[in-house]
């Protein structure tokens, strides 16, 4: 499967700071969407309780209504805070390094469910490099005409020993994104804010 994919896509696409920022912002949107579904489910449940209780008791509907409003306000607060933190991360300095893939690790993670479902479990893949691990998002490189891939798509095309452009936060030292060198050629531009950027030759 991996050889067939490479045969169909022999060209490389150019990678710059603009594309890197798009991918970081895509993770922001994914996080915000998950948060919205979670809080929206609780808000609807409380709103339904408010409606039904209004037919049974005279004043008891006020309590679930207050809770519903509180959940809505809490959502907007957390969503705004999350967006600010992630946007700051997207605009912060980072370094670009070439790292060889050590392995691909699969982990079953518990995620907070929506509504009455307290937790949900799903398998998540990580690309493991000497400098750390990168949790593969569900959708990747959506700006790319040739190599927009799902999480499973990256797993299917990644081989141990492959070289990746690894984007590392200068502040947290976490891996923000990773790009297979066999699909992308990194082009350093003036838009990149880090003074510690490595000049990488294609």
């Amino acid at each position: 499967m991996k050889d067939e994919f490479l045969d169909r896509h022999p060209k490389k696409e150019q990678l710059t700071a603009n594309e890197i920022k798009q991918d970081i912002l895509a993770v922001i949107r994914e996080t915000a969407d998950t948060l919205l579904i979670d809080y929206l489910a609780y808000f609807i449940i409380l709103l339904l309780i408010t409606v039904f209780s209004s037919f049974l008791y005279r004043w008891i509907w006020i309590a679930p209504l207050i809770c519903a409003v509180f959940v809505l306000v809490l959502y907007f607060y957390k969503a705004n805070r999350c967006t600010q933190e992630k946007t700051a991360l997207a605009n912060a300095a980072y370094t670009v390094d070439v790292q060889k893939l050590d392995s691909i690790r699969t982990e079953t993670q518990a995620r907070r469910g929506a509504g009455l479902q307290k937790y949900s479990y799903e398998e998540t893949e990580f690309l493991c490099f000497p400098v750390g691990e990168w949790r593969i998002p569900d959708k990747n490189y959506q700006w790319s005409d040739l190599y927009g891939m799902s999480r499973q798509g990256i797993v299917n095309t990644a081989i141990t020993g492959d070289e990746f452009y690894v984007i590392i936060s200068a502040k947290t030292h976490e891996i923000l994104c990773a790009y297979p060198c066999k699909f992308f050629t990194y082009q350093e531009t003036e838009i990149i804010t880090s003074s510690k950027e490595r000049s990488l030759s294609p």
Side-chain angles (χ1 to χ4, degrees), residues 97-102 129-132 161-166 168 175 179 181 198:
D97 198 6
V98 174
Q99 293 278 319
K100 286 188 176 181
L101 179 65
D102 285 339
F129 301 97
V131 294
D162 280 354
E163 289 188 333
F164 281 74
Y165 295 119
V166 178
I168 305 171
I175 296 178
Y179 303 86
C181 294
R198 296 190 181 187

Side-chain angles (χ1 to χ4, degrees), residues 10-197:
K11 297 181 180 179
K12 289 187 178 183
E13 280 195 290
Q14 190 175 79
L15 173 67
T16 68
N18 288 329
E19 287 75 38
I20 292 171
K21 185 173 182 178
Q22 285 184 51
D23 287 333
I24 296 175
L25 293 176
V27 175
I28 297 172
R29 288 191 293 270
E30 183 179 328
T31 303
D33 290 344
T34 302
L35 195 66
L36 174 61
I37 293 172
D38 192 9
Y39 278 87
L40 186 60
Y42 284 108
F43 177 76
I44 292 175
I45 290 171
L46 288 168
L47 204 59
L48 290 174
I49 293 174
T50 300
V51 173
F52 284 115
S53 62
S54 66
F55 292 105
L56 300 176
Y57 302 98
R58 187 174 182 180
W59 300 109
I60 199 171
W61 59 271
I62 295 177
L65 179 61
I66 292 174
C67 291
V69 173
F70 174 76
V71 167
L72 194 62
V73 172
L74 187 62
Y75 159 72
F76 282 112
Y77 169 76
K78 287 195 173 184
N80 182 61
R81 184 175 178 181
C82 177
T83 300
Q84 288 179 349
E85 291 176 353
K86 295 292 184 179
T87 303
L89 184 62
N91 293 325
Y94 55 79
T95 58
V96 181
D97 198 6
V98 174
Q99 293 278 319
K100 286 188 176 181
L101 179 65
D102 285 339
S103 62
I104 301 175
R105 183 174 67 85
T106 301
E107 178 181 307
T108 300
Q109 292 186 331
R111 284 191 175 183
R112 187 177 178 182
L116 298 177
Q117 186 180 1
K118 194 169 184 180
Y119 292 101
S120 62
Y121 297 89
E122 64 177 27
E123 288 190 345
T124 301
E125 286 78 23
F126 294 81
L127 296 187
C128 304
F129 301 97
V131 294
E133 295 183 345
W134 177 54
R135 179 187 176 278
I136 308 175
D138 293 333
K139 296 179 181 179
N140 303 274
Y141 324 137
Q142 297 181 60
W143 49 268
S144 172
D145 293 329
L146 297 176
Y147 304 115
M149 285 185 275
S150 65
R151 182 175 59 194
Q152 193 59 46
I154 290 183
V155 172
N156 290 341
T157 56
I159 303 173
T160 300
D162 280 354
E163 289 188 333
F164 281 74
Y165 295 119
V166 178
I167 314 304
I168 305 171
S169 169
K171 183 177 181 180
T172 66
H173 306 293
E174 296 178 356
I175 296 178
L176 305 176
C177 306
Y179 303 86
C181 294
K182 59 188 177 186
F183 298 146
F184 300 100
T185 298
Y186 173 66
Q187 179 64 51
E188 186 174 7
T189 66
E190 295 180 356
I191 300 176
I192 296 179
T193 57
S194 174
S195 60
K196 298 180 181 179
E197 293 286 343

